[in-house]
Amino acid sequence: MPTLVMKFGGTSVANLDRIRRAAKRIGVEVAKGYDVIVIVSAMSGKTNEMVGWVNETSPLYDAREYDAVVSSGENVTAGLMALTLQEMDVPARSWQGWQVPLLTTSAHSQARIEEIPTKNINEKFAEGMKVAVVAGFQGISPEGRITTLGRGGSDTTAVAFAAAFEADRCDIYTDVDGVYTTDPRICDKARKLDKISFEEMLELASLGAKVLQTRSVELAMRYKVKLRVLSSFEEQSDEAGTLVCDEEEIMESNVVAGVAYSRDEAKMTLLSVADRPGIAATIFNALSDGGVNVDMIVQNISEEGRTDMTFSCPTDQVARAEKSLLAIKDAGELNYAELIADTDVAKVSVVGIGMRSQSGVAAKMFKVLSDEGINIKVITTSEIKISVLIDRKYMELAVQALHDAFELDKAA
Amino acid sequence: MPTLVMKFGGTSVANLDRIRRAAKRIGVEVAKGYDVIVIVSAMSGKTNEMVGWVNETSPLYDAREYDAVVSSGENVTAGLMALTLQEMDVPARSWQGWQVPLLTTSAHSQARIEEIPTKNINEKFAEGMKVAVVAGFQGISPEGRITTLGRGGSDTTAVAFAAAFEADRCDIYTDVDGVYTTDPRICDKARKLDKISFEEMLELASLGAKVLQTRSVELAMRYKVKLRVLSSFEEQSDEAGTLVCDEEEIMESNVVAGVAYSRDEAKMTLLSVADRPGIAATIFNALSDGGVNVDMIVQNISEEGRTDMTFSCPTDQVARAEKSLLAIKDAGELNYAELIADTDVAKVSVVGIGMRSQSGVAAKMFKVLSDEGINIKVITTSEIKISVLIDRKYMELAVQALHDAFELDKAA
């Protein structure tokens, strides 16, 4: 029997009505002859509520207990979904992570999936079960304790199941109807893409287009899982939503696939750092140990043995970054004149696999921003992406101007 | 190391403040040198919320999915309690039913405990864990699915753990400070008992004094578990609350230990039933099959081969009883003239092991009620209990008059 994985996020199972709506959609796929594995998130708001309780109880919490608490929301949805399907005469049962079992590392609250044995679920499919409803986001460690996969981890659960069960497709039902050329909330010309490559989706996801957890896209790329993003709030056909797939499956595409942005960026500059070998390692090791996720890094030209070092990180990690750097300064490991934090910046990026074969994209991007009078503070590039830091007040303007300039409102 | 079991009900862990309060109480026992097993309920209201969702989703639900859903509240409390204890530097971890494992029958939603292997938890005690926080109410079936023990099942979990780990005592923390001679809400002379026998507690529990789940008292009696009921809202000493124990441990006691009542009773009378062998079996089998919990049964003297049959059941089961009896009448298995349902009755009972050795308790009870002008509709007796059905409007008067007459406001 062909297998399909369908994942429903928190807003798609927010209440009993929405669970019924999702169940109907599942019924359609069962009627087509699929054995279906459904991955469910917690009802929207539930996980946040529990994370709040844990943080209030214990700011430096034991991650094993955090996982035991915050994984419970998915169990509720899984049971309710199984009951709803049974009411529609679809043979279904719920599975918690430890029942599958979904085996993970012991890295609690950010565990990685090690293996998904298919035996238990396949036995039930053989007995006539048509839908296995699996609680997303959770697994079990080698020590027999509950683990979770990090926020958004249900996407990763879904892709991992699709890989393990060699599913025809992994459909991610969410509150948007696909992947857009940019955020429709800030650019009304944003256009839904029918297809996007794994590589582009990875860059867009990591750049703040929060449709899919980054890890789920990596996993789908590695195991060649056909990933589809579509809305649980609309009637769906087989061609709905956006298919995330190998670039070979995309015949024609624009040079630039999308414009992404990230609002909560901070630009940190260390003035007058001694420019000697190993100094960058000292700085970024300290930041990493302090839990700071450094994104862009720029080093200015050295003058008289001293240089300025600039990096960006999320706004809410500025205090941690300052603390980490002050600590190594006090310890005599680093010398700098001043640390300047600019928390009024945003990151805007253009992404597209077409850049590999077509030059001039960066030049065009810089000209567009310049024509709008927007000053570029930091630039980084990868093979398929160009990102700039700019003043936050220009962010929406920059996104709209770039979307226009690269004609993203028109299909290739 | 001596072991203590402490159980905290839903109101005792209703929010983070109350969980902290309970954790402090646990810390006191740890400081005395106990290894402590803590059994927690769901935060008050959570289980009801989930039961509501299940019922709305599927009126005739799959009990396996019901259990998977409604057991999740306890997992949240167990994790939060472990974190709270850790914050107080008390080494603690949470245990879900399947992790212990608490092995039960497959009778979902009303499973019975088969065994509690002590190995896993004892290993952690040996490694220095001081408190095992166990999610109450839940276990695991031989098929590896989650089971629950029925409403109030956390009491039973607690007593079973006390038996398995040979605990010195099982303390049940609740929102009342002990077992009273009657309900203080309807009789202001009600007095807290320092000790009560298992037998008396069983009768009081089954008569609607909802301090402890009946099964937990049965289990405590069988395994000689010292059971203490006390308030989580007051500072506690070792002598606080009410000790439920063997009657041998109670030196002196009143003839009557308490007066119990049950408001939601209905009296059902079948008029003019053919009085032939097997007719009672026919009637009560049908009621049992229909899910009616029959309590008292009275058969009048037979006249001319016909008799009246009276029984009582909870008010909310009257419709079911009527349906069941009509079905066997229609099937020709039973003939009766009329079925009269009186839903305006209540049950009042006096309970006491002293009755075994002292006669005249029934006579005194009937005289007290008669003096108050209260008509008795049905009477049943056991070795240590006398129950009567009366008009509901006299219920509080009856309880107060009996409490006075048997001088329950005075200690023995």
Side-chain angles (χ1 to χ4, degrees), chain A residues 16 43 50 53-54 56-58 61-62 65 69 72 76 79-80 82-84 86-87 93-94 96 98-99 144-146, chain B residues 16 43 50 53-54 56-58 62 65 69 72 76 79-80 82-84 86-87 93-94 96 98-99 144-146:
Chain A
L16 299 186
M43 291 160 134
M50 288 183 281
W53 287 338
V54 168
E56 195 184 331
T57 300
S58 178
Y61 50 74
D62 177 346
E65 299 299 346
V69 171
S72 68
V76 174
L80 293 175
L83 287 167
T84 307
Q86 290 176 0
E87 278 294 303
R93 75 158 268 199
S94 68
Q96 301 189 0
W98 59 273
Q99 289 175 319
R145 301 206 58 178
I146 294 167
Chain B
L16 300 185
M43 292 162 134
M50 288 183 282
W53 286 337
V54 169
E56 196 183 329
T57 300
S58 178
D62 177 347
E65 300 299 347
V69 171
S72 68
V76 174
L80 292 175
L83 287 168
T84 307
Q86 289 175 0
E87 278 293 302
R93 76 157 268 198
S94 68
Q96 300 188 2
W98 59 273
Q99 290 175 318
R145 301 205 60 178
I146 293 167

Short mmCIF file of all heavy atoms in Angstrom, two decimals, chain A residues 16 43 50 53-54 56-58 61-62 65 69 72 76 79-80 82-84 86-87 93-94 96 98-99 144-146, chain B residues 16 43 50 53-54 56-58 62 65 69 72 76 79-80 82-84 86-87 93-94 96 98-99 144-146:
data_model
loop_
_atom_site.label_atom_id
_atom_site.label_comp_id
_atom_site.label_asym_id
_atom_site.label_seq_id
_atom_site.Cartn_x
_atom_site.Cartn_y
_atom_site.Cartn_z
N LEU A 16 -11.68 21.50 18.33
CA LEU A 16 -12.27 20.25 17.84
C LEU A 16 -12.80 20.41 16.41
O LEU A 16 -12.71 19.47 15.61
CB LEU A 16 -13.40 19.80 18.77
CG LEU A 16 -12.97 19.50 20.22
CD1 LEU A 16 -14.15 18.93 21.01
CD2 LEU A 16 -11.79 18.56 20.29
N MET A 43 -2.40 21.62 20.21
CA MET A 43 -3.34 22.68 19.90
C MET A 43 -2.62 24.02 20.11
O MET A 43 -1.89 24.17 21.08
CB MET A 43 -4.55 22.60 20.84
CG MET A 43 -5.42 21.38 20.60
SD MET A 43 -6.45 21.05 22.06
CE MET A 43 -8.06 20.76 21.32
N MET A 50 2.85 25.77 28.44
CA MET A 50 3.68 24.88 29.26
C MET A 50 5.12 25.35 29.34
O MET A 50 5.75 25.27 30.39
CB MET A 50 3.57 23.46 28.73
CG MET A 50 2.20 22.87 29.05
SD MET A 50 2.01 21.17 28.54
CE MET A 50 1.72 21.37 26.80
N TRP A 53 5.18 27.89 32.00
CA TRP A 53 5.18 27.31 33.35
C TRP A 53 6.58 26.82 33.73
O TRP A 53 7.04 27.02 34.85
CB TRP A 53 4.20 26.13 33.43
CG TRP A 53 2.76 26.52 33.45
CD1 TRP A 53 2.24 27.72 33.82
CD2 TRP A 53 1.64 25.70 33.08
NE1 TRP A 53 0.88 27.70 33.71
CE2 TRP A 53 0.48 26.48 33.26
CE3 TRP A 53 1.51 24.39 32.62
CZ2 TRP A 53 -0.80 25.99 33.00
CZ3 TRP A 53 0.23 23.91 32.37
CH2 TRP A 53 -0.91 24.70 32.54
N VAL A 54 7.24 26.15 32.79
CA VAL A 54 8.56 25.61 33.08
C VAL A 54 9.53 26.76 33.37
O VAL A 54 10.28 26.72 34.35
CB VAL A 54 9.08 24.76 31.90
CG1 VAL A 54 10.56 24.43 32.08
CG2 VAL A 54 8.27 23.47 31.79
N GLU A 56 8.87 29.72 34.44
CA GLU A 56 8.56 30.38 35.70
C GLU A 56 9.01 29.51 36.89
O GLU A 56 9.47 30.02 37.90
CB GLU A 56 7.05 30.66 35.77
CG GLU A 56 6.70 31.65 36.87
CD GLU A 56 5.21 31.87 37.00
OE1 GLU A 56 4.48 31.74 36.00
OE2 GLU A 56 4.76 32.16 38.14
N THR A 57 8.87 28.21 36.73
CA THR A 57 9.25 27.29 37.82
C THR A 57 10.76 27.27 38.00
O THR A 57 11.26 27.29 39.12
CB THR A 57 8.75 25.87 37.50
OG1 THR A 57 7.35 25.90 37.36
CG2 THR A 57 9.14 24.90 38.60
N SER A 58 11.47 27.23 36.89
CA SER A 58 12.91 26.97 36.97
C SER A 58 13.60 27.59 35.77
O SER A 58 13.65 27.01 34.71
CB SER A 58 13.12 25.44 36.99
OG SER A 58 14.48 25.13 37.02
N TYR A 61 16.20 25.35 33.81
CA TYR A 61 15.52 24.08 34.05
C TYR A 61 16.32 22.87 33.59
O TYR A 61 17.20 22.96 32.73
CB TYR A 61 14.17 24.09 33.33
CG TYR A 61 14.24 24.50 31.87
CD1 TYR A 61 14.75 23.65 30.91
CD2 TYR A 61 13.80 25.75 31.48
CE1 TYR A 61 14.82 24.03 29.58
CE2 TYR A 61 13.87 26.15 30.15
CZ TYR A 61 14.37 25.29 29.21
OH TYR A 61 14.45 25.66 27.91
N ASP A 62 16.02 21.74 34.21
CA ASP A 62 16.49 20.42 33.80
C ASP A 62 15.76 20.09 32.49
O ASP A 62 14.55 19.92 32.46
CB ASP A 62 16.11 19.43 34.90
CG ASP A 62 16.48 18.00 34.56
OD1 ASP A 62 16.79 17.71 33.38
OD2 ASP A 62 16.45 17.17 35.49
N GLU A 65 13.15 17.35 32.31
CA GLU A 65 11.81 17.62 32.83
C GLU A 65 11.04 18.56 31.90
O GLU A 65 9.84 18.43 31.72
CB GLU A 65 11.88 18.19 34.25
CG GLU A 65 12.55 17.27 35.27
CD GLU A 65 11.82 15.93 35.45
OE1 GLU A 65 10.67 15.81 34.99
OE2 GLU A 65 12.42 15.00 36.02
N VAL A 69 7.34 17.71 30.27
CA VAL A 69 6.17 18.60 30.39
C VAL A 69 5.67 19.05 29.02
O VAL A 69 4.50 18.84 28.68
CB VAL A 69 6.52 19.83 31.26
CG1 VAL A 69 5.38 20.86 31.22
CG2 VAL A 69 6.81 19.42 32.70
N SER A 72 3.52 17.05 26.29
CA SER A 72 2.21 16.46 26.58
C SER A 72 1.11 16.98 25.67
O SER A 72 0.12 16.29 25.44
CB SER A 72 1.84 16.69 28.04
OG SER A 72 1.62 18.05 28.28
N VAL A 76 -2.34 14.86 23.55
CA VAL A 76 -3.77 15.17 23.58
C VAL A 76 -4.32 15.23 22.16
O VAL A 76 -5.33 14.60 21.83
CB VAL A 76 -4.01 16.52 24.32
CG1 VAL A 76 -5.48 16.93 24.23
CG2 VAL A 76 -3.57 16.41 25.77
N GLY A 79 -4.58 11.73 20.41
CA GLY A 79 -5.73 10.94 20.84
C GLY A 79 -7.03 11.47 20.27
O GLY A 79 -7.87 10.72 19.77
N LEU A 80 -7.19 12.81 20.31
CA LEU A 80 -8.43 13.40 19.80
C LEU A 80 -8.56 13.17 18.30
O LEU A 80 -9.66 12.91 17.79
CB LEU A 80 -8.48 14.90 20.12
CG LEU A 80 -8.60 15.26 21.61
CD1 LEU A 80 -8.52 16.78 21.80
CD2 LEU A 80 -9.91 14.74 22.20
N ALA A 82 -7.30 10.64 16.57
CA ALA A 82 -7.63 9.23 16.35
C ALA A 82 -9.12 9.00 16.61
O ALA A 82 -9.81 8.31 15.83
CB ALA A 82 -6.78 8.34 17.27
N LEU A 83 -9.65 9.60 17.66
CA LEU A 83 -11.08 9.46 17.98
C LEU A 83 -11.94 10.05 16.87
O LEU A 83 -12.97 9.48 16.48
CB LEU A 83 -11.40 10.14 19.31
CG LEU A 83 -10.91 9.42 20.57
CD1 LEU A 83 -11.02 10.33 21.78
CD2 LEU A 83 -11.71 8.15 20.80
N THR A 84 -11.53 11.21 16.36
CA THR A 84 -12.30 11.88 15.30
C THR A 84 -12.33 11.01 14.04
O THR A 84 -13.39 10.86 13.40
CB THR A 84 -11.67 13.26 14.99
OG1 THR A 84 -11.54 13.99 16.20
CG2 THR A 84 -12.54 14.04 14.02
N GLN A 86 -11.96 7.73 13.95
CA GLN A 86 -12.79 6.57 14.25
C GLN A 86 -14.28 6.91 14.09
O GLN A 86 -15.06 6.09 13.58
CB GLN A 86 -12.53 6.08 15.68
CG GLN A 86 -11.15 5.44 15.87
CD GLN A 86 -10.88 5.04 17.31
OE1 GLN A 86 -11.71 5.25 18.18
NE2 GLN A 86 -9.70 4.49 17.56
N GLU A 87 -14.65 8.12 14.51
CA GLU A 87 -16.04 8.56 14.36
C GLU A 87 -16.46 8.59 12.89
O GLU A 87 -17.63 8.46 12.55
CB GLU A 87 -16.24 9.95 14.97
CG GLU A 87 -16.44 9.97 16.45
CD GLU A 87 -17.74 9.30 16.87
OE1 GLU A 87 -18.81 9.71 16.41
OE2 GLU A 87 -17.67 8.32 17.65
N ARG A 93 -5.37 4.83 15.11
CA ARG A 93 -4.98 4.86 16.52
C ARG A 93 -3.84 5.85 16.71
O ARG A 93 -3.13 6.21 15.78
CB ARG A 93 -4.61 3.48 17.09
CG ARG A 93 -3.26 2.93 16.67
CD ARG A 93 -2.73 1.88 17.67
NE ARG A 93 -1.91 2.52 18.67
CZ ARG A 93 -1.02 1.87 19.45
NH1 ARG A 93 -0.90 0.56 19.37
NH2 ARG A 93 -0.27 2.51 20.33
N SER A 94 -3.70 6.30 17.95
CA SER A 94 -2.67 7.28 18.27
C SER A 94 -1.38 6.57 18.70
O SER A 94 -1.41 5.46 19.21
CB SER A 94 -3.14 8.18 19.41
OG SER A 94 -3.24 7.45 20.61
N GLN A 96 2.29 7.63 20.75
CA GLN A 96 3.19 8.59 21.36
C GLN A 96 4.61 8.22 20.93
O GLN A 96 4.86 7.11 20.48
CB GLN A 96 3.01 8.59 22.87
CG GLN A 96 1.56 8.94 23.25
CD GLN A 96 1.31 9.17 24.72
OE1 GLN A 96 2.23 9.08 25.53
NE2 GLN A 96 0.07 9.47 25.06
N TRP A 98 7.34 7.36 22.38
CA TRP A 98 7.97 6.17 22.96
C TRP A 98 7.28 4.90 22.50
O TRP A 98 7.84 3.80 22.62
CB TRP A 98 7.96 6.25 24.49
CG TRP A 98 6.58 6.36 25.10
CD1 TRP A 98 5.88 7.51 25.33
CD2 TRP A 98 5.74 5.29 25.55
NE1 TRP A 98 4.66 7.22 25.89
CE2 TRP A 98 4.54 5.87 26.04
CE3 TRP A 98 5.88 3.90 25.60
CZ2 TRP A 98 3.49 5.10 26.57
CZ3 TRP A 98 4.83 3.14 26.11
CH2 TRP A 98 3.65 3.75 26.59
N GLN A 99 6.05 5.01 21.97
CA GLN A 99 5.35 3.81 21.52
C GLN A 99 5.78 3.40 20.12
O GLN A 99 5.68 2.22 19.77
CB GLN A 99 3.83 4.04 21.56
CG GLN A 99 3.27 4.11 22.98
CD GLN A 99 1.79 4.46 23.02
OE1 GLN A 99 1.32 5.32 22.28
NE2 GLN A 99 1.05 3.80 23.90
N GLY A 144 15.58 6.03 28.03
CA GLY A 144 14.15 5.80 28.24
C GLY A 144 13.40 7.02 28.70
O GLY A 144 12.30 6.92 29.24
N ARG A 145 13.98 8.20 28.50
CA ARG A 145 13.26 9.41 28.89
C ARG A 145 12.75 10.12 27.64
O ARG A 145 13.27 9.95 26.55
CB ARG A 145 14.18 10.32 29.70
CG ARG A 145 14.65 9.55 30.96
CD ARG A 145 15.02 10.41 32.09
NE ARG A 145 13.97 11.29 32.56
CZ ARG A 145 14.14 12.11 33.59
NH1 ARG A 145 15.30 12.14 34.21
NH2 ARG A 145 13.16 12.90 33.99
N ILE A 146 11.71 10.94 27.85
CA ILE A 146 11.10 11.65 26.73
C ILE A 146 12.00 12.78 26.28
O ILE A 146 12.53 13.53 27.10
CB ILE A 146 9.71 12.18 27.14
CG1 ILE A 146 8.77 11.00 27.38
CG2 ILE A 146 9.14 13.10 26.06
CD1 ILE A 146 7.50 11.39 28.08
N LEU B 16 1.25 27.13 39.95
CA LEU B 16 2.67 27.02 40.31
C LEU B 16 2.91 27.34 41.79
O LEU B 16 3.78 26.73 42.43
CB LEU B 16 3.52 27.92 39.41
CG LEU B 16 3.44 27.62 37.90
CD1 LEU B 16 4.42 28.51 37.15
CD2 LEU B 16 3.71 26.16 37.60
N MET B 43 -3.41 19.32 37.33
CA MET B 43 -3.87 20.59 37.87
C MET B 43 -5.41 20.60 37.79
O MET B 43 -5.97 20.19 36.78
CB MET B 43 -3.32 21.74 37.03
CG MET B 43 -1.81 21.90 37.17
SD MET B 43 -1.15 22.88 35.78
CE MET B 43 -0.08 24.03 36.63
N MET B 50 -10.25 17.81 29.36
CA MET B 50 -9.93 16.80 28.35
C MET B 50 -11.04 15.76 28.21
O MET B 50 -11.34 15.32 27.10
CB MET B 50 -8.59 16.15 28.68
CG MET B 50 -7.45 17.14 28.41
SD MET B 50 -5.81 16.47 28.67
CE MET B 50 -5.70 16.55 30.44
N TRP B 53 -13.51 17.24 25.94
CA TRP B 53 -13.12 17.16 24.52
C TRP B 53 -13.39 15.78 23.95
O TRP B 53 -13.87 15.63 22.83
CB TRP B 53 -11.64 17.49 24.36
CG TRP B 53 -11.30 18.94 24.52
CD1 TRP B 53 -12.14 20.01 24.34
CD2 TRP B 53 -10.03 19.50 24.87
NE1 TRP B 53 -11.46 21.18 24.57
CE2 TRP B 53 -10.18 20.90 24.88
CE3 TRP B 53 -8.78 18.96 25.17
CZ2 TRP B 53 -9.12 21.76 25.19
CZ3 TRP B 53 -7.73 19.82 25.47
CH2 TRP B 53 -7.90 21.20 25.48
N VAL B 54 -13.02 14.76 24.74
CA VAL B 54 -13.21 13.38 24.25
C VAL B 54 -14.70 13.11 24.04
O VAL B 54 -15.09 12.58 22.99
CB VAL B 54 -12.60 12.37 25.24
CG1 VAL B 54 -13.03 10.95 24.88
CG2 VAL B 54 -11.08 12.48 25.24
N GLU B 56 -17.07 15.19 23.47
CA GLU B 56 -17.61 15.96 22.35
C GLU B 56 -17.16 15.34 21.02
O GLU B 56 -17.92 15.32 20.04
CB GLU B 56 -17.14 17.41 22.44
CG GLU B 56 -17.95 18.33 21.55
CD GLU B 56 -17.44 19.77 21.58
OE1 GLU B 56 -16.92 20.21 22.61
OE2 GLU B 56 -17.57 20.44 20.53
N THR B 57 -15.94 14.84 20.99
CA THR B 57 -15.42 14.24 19.76
C THR B 57 -16.11 12.93 19.44
O THR B 57 -16.46 12.66 18.29
CB THR B 57 -13.90 13.98 19.91
OG1 THR B 57 -13.25 15.21 20.15
CG2 THR B 57 -13.33 13.35 18.66
N SER B 58 -16.33 12.12 20.46
CA SER B 58 -16.78 10.76 20.22
C SER B 58 -17.56 10.26 21.43
O SER B 58 -16.97 9.80 22.40
CB SER B 58 -15.55 9.88 19.97
OG SER B 58 -15.93 8.55 19.77
N ASP B 62 -13.42 5.25 21.93
CA ASP B 62 -12.44 4.17 22.11
C ASP B 62 -11.71 4.47 23.42
O ASP B 62 -10.99 5.45 23.52
CB ASP B 62 -11.48 4.21 20.91
CG ASP B 62 -10.36 3.19 21.01
OD1 ASP B 62 -10.16 2.61 22.10
OD2 ASP B 62 -9.69 2.97 19.98
N GLU B 65 -8.03 5.48 23.42
CA GLU B 65 -7.69 6.86 23.07
C GLU B 65 -8.08 7.82 24.19
O GLU B 65 -7.37 8.80 24.45
CB GLU B 65 -8.35 7.27 21.75
CG GLU B 65 -7.94 6.41 20.55
CD GLU B 65 -6.45 6.46 20.23
OE1 GLU B 65 -5.74 7.33 20.76
OE2 GLU B 65 -5.98 5.58 19.46
N VAL B 69 -5.46 10.45 25.99
CA VAL B 69 -5.70 11.89 26.10
C VAL B 69 -5.72 12.34 27.56
O VAL B 69 -4.96 13.22 27.97
CB VAL B 69 -7.02 12.27 25.41
CG1 VAL B 69 -7.38 13.73 25.69
CG2 VAL B 69 -6.92 12.04 23.90
N SER B 72 -2.72 12.91 30.16
CA SER B 72 -1.61 13.83 29.91
C SER B 72 -1.47 14.91 30.98
O SER B 72 -0.38 15.43 31.19
CB SER B 72 -1.76 14.47 28.53
OG SER B 72 -2.87 15.31 28.52
N VAL B 76 2.20 16.66 33.04
CA VAL B 76 2.60 18.06 33.18
C VAL B 76 2.93 18.37 34.64
O VAL B 76 4.00 18.90 34.95
CB VAL B 76 1.47 18.99 32.68
CG1 VAL B 76 1.81 20.45 32.96
CG2 VAL B 76 1.22 18.77 31.19
N GLY B 79 6.28 16.73 35.88
CA GLY B 79 7.49 17.44 35.44
C GLY B 79 7.67 18.74 36.20
O GLY B 79 8.78 19.06 36.65
N LEU B 80 6.59 19.50 36.35
CA LEU B 80 6.69 20.79 37.05
C LEU B 80 7.09 20.59 38.51
O LEU B 80 7.88 21.35 39.07
CB LEU B 80 5.37 21.55 36.96
CG LEU B 80 4.98 22.05 35.55
CD1 LEU B 80 3.59 22.69 35.58
CD2 LEU B 80 6.00 23.05 35.02
N ALA B 82 8.87 18.06 39.73
CA ALA B 82 10.28 17.68 39.78
C ALA B 82 11.16 18.92 39.63
O ALA B 82 12.15 19.10 40.35
CB ALA B 82 10.59 16.66 38.68
N LEU B 83 10.80 19.81 38.70
CA LEU B 83 11.58 21.04 38.50
C LEU B 83 11.55 21.91 39.76
O LEU B 83 12.57 22.49 40.14
CB LEU B 83 11.00 21.83 37.31
CG LEU B 83 11.29 21.25 35.92
CD1 LEU B 83 10.43 21.95 34.88
CD2 LEU B 83 12.77 21.41 35.57
N THR B 84 10.37 22.00 40.39
CA THR B 84 10.25 22.83 41.60
C THR B 84 11.14 22.29 42.71
O THR B 84 11.83 23.05 43.41
CB THR B 84 8.78 22.86 42.05
OG1 THR B 84 7.96 23.26 40.95
CG2 THR B 84 8.59 23.84 43.20
N GLN B 86 13.84 20.45 42.29
CA GLN B 86 15.23 20.69 41.90
C GLN B 86 15.65 22.11 42.24
O GLN B 86 16.77 22.36 42.69
CB GLN B 86 15.42 20.43 40.40
CG GLN B 86 15.33 18.96 40.02
CD GLN B 86 15.40 18.75 38.50
OE1 GLN B 86 15.52 19.71 37.75
NE2 GLN B 86 15.33 17.50 38.08
N GLU B 87 14.73 23.07 42.02
CA GLU B 87 15.02 24.48 42.36
C GLU B 87 15.31 24.64 43.84
O GLU B 87 16.02 25.55 44.24
CB GLU B 87 13.83 25.37 41.99
CG GLU B 87 13.78 25.76 40.53
CD GLU B 87 14.94 26.67 40.13
OE1 GLU B 87 15.09 27.75 40.73
OE2 GLU B 87 15.70 26.29 39.21
N ARG B 93 13.18 13.51 40.16
CA ARG B 93 12.84 13.38 38.74
C ARG B 93 11.42 12.87 38.61
O ARG B 93 10.86 12.28 39.52
CB ARG B 93 13.83 12.50 37.95
CG ARG B 93 13.70 11.01 38.17
CD ARG B 93 14.28 10.20 36.98
NE ARG B 93 13.25 9.91 36.01
CZ ARG B 93 13.35 8.97 35.07
NH1 ARG B 93 14.46 8.27 34.95
NH2 ARG B 93 12.36 8.73 34.23
N SER B 94 10.86 13.12 37.43
CA SER B 94 9.48 12.70 37.18
C SER B 94 9.46 11.31 36.55
O SER B 94 10.41 10.90 35.88
CB SER B 94 8.80 13.69 36.24
OG SER B 94 9.37 13.62 34.95
N GLN B 96 6.61 8.88 34.37
CA GLN B 96 5.28 8.62 33.82
C GLN B 96 4.98 7.15 34.06
O GLN B 96 5.89 6.35 34.34
CB GLN B 96 5.24 9.00 32.35
CG GLN B 96 5.58 10.48 32.16
CD GLN B 96 5.38 11.02 30.76
OE1 GLN B 96 4.95 10.32 29.87
NE2 GLN B 96 5.67 12.29 30.58
N TRP B 98 4.33 4.56 32.28
CA TRP B 98 5.03 3.55 31.49
C TRP B 98 6.51 3.50 31.81
O TRP B 98 7.20 2.54 31.47
CB TRP B 98 4.83 3.80 30.00
CG TRP B 98 5.32 5.15 29.53
CD1 TRP B 98 4.62 6.32 29.53
CD2 TRP B 98 6.62 5.47 29.01
NE1 TRP B 98 5.39 7.35 29.04
CE2 TRP B 98 6.62 6.85 28.71
CE3 TRP B 98 7.77 4.73 28.76
CZ2 TRP B 98 7.73 7.51 28.18
CZ3 TRP B 98 8.89 5.39 28.22
CH2 TRP B 98 8.85 6.77 27.95
N GLN B 99 7.04 4.55 32.46
CA GLN B 99 8.46 4.55 32.79
C GLN B 99 8.74 3.79 34.08
O GLN B 99 9.85 3.30 34.27
CB GLN B 99 8.97 5.99 32.91
CG GLN B 99 9.03 6.73 31.58
CD GLN B 99 9.42 8.19 31.71
OE1 GLN B 99 8.96 8.88 32.60
NE2 GLN B 99 10.27 8.66 30.82
N GLY B 144 1.12 -2.45 25.81
CA GLY B 144 1.98 -1.28 25.70
C GLY B 144 1.22 0.01 25.48
O GLY B 144 1.78 1.01 25.03
N ARG B 145 -0.08 0.01 25.79
CA ARG B 145 -0.85 1.24 25.65
C ARG B 145 -1.11 1.84 27.02
O ARG B 145 -1.10 1.15 28.04
CB ARG B 145 -2.15 0.96 24.89
CG ARG B 145 -1.81 0.38 23.52
CD ARG B 145 -2.86 0.61 22.49
NE ARG B 145 -3.14 2.00 22.24
CZ ARG B 145 -4.03 2.40 21.32
NH1 ARG B 145 -4.67 1.49 20.61
NH2 ARG B 145 -4.26 3.68 21.12
N ILE B 146 -1.38 3.16 27.02
CA ILE B 146 -1.60 3.85 28.28
C ILE B 146 -2.98 3.52 28.82
O ILE B 146 -3.96 3.51 28.07
CB ILE B 146 -1.45 5.37 28.08
CG1 ILE B 146 0.00 5.68 27.75
CG2 ILE B 146 -1.89 6.13 29.33
CD1 ILE B 146 0.22 7.08 27.25
#
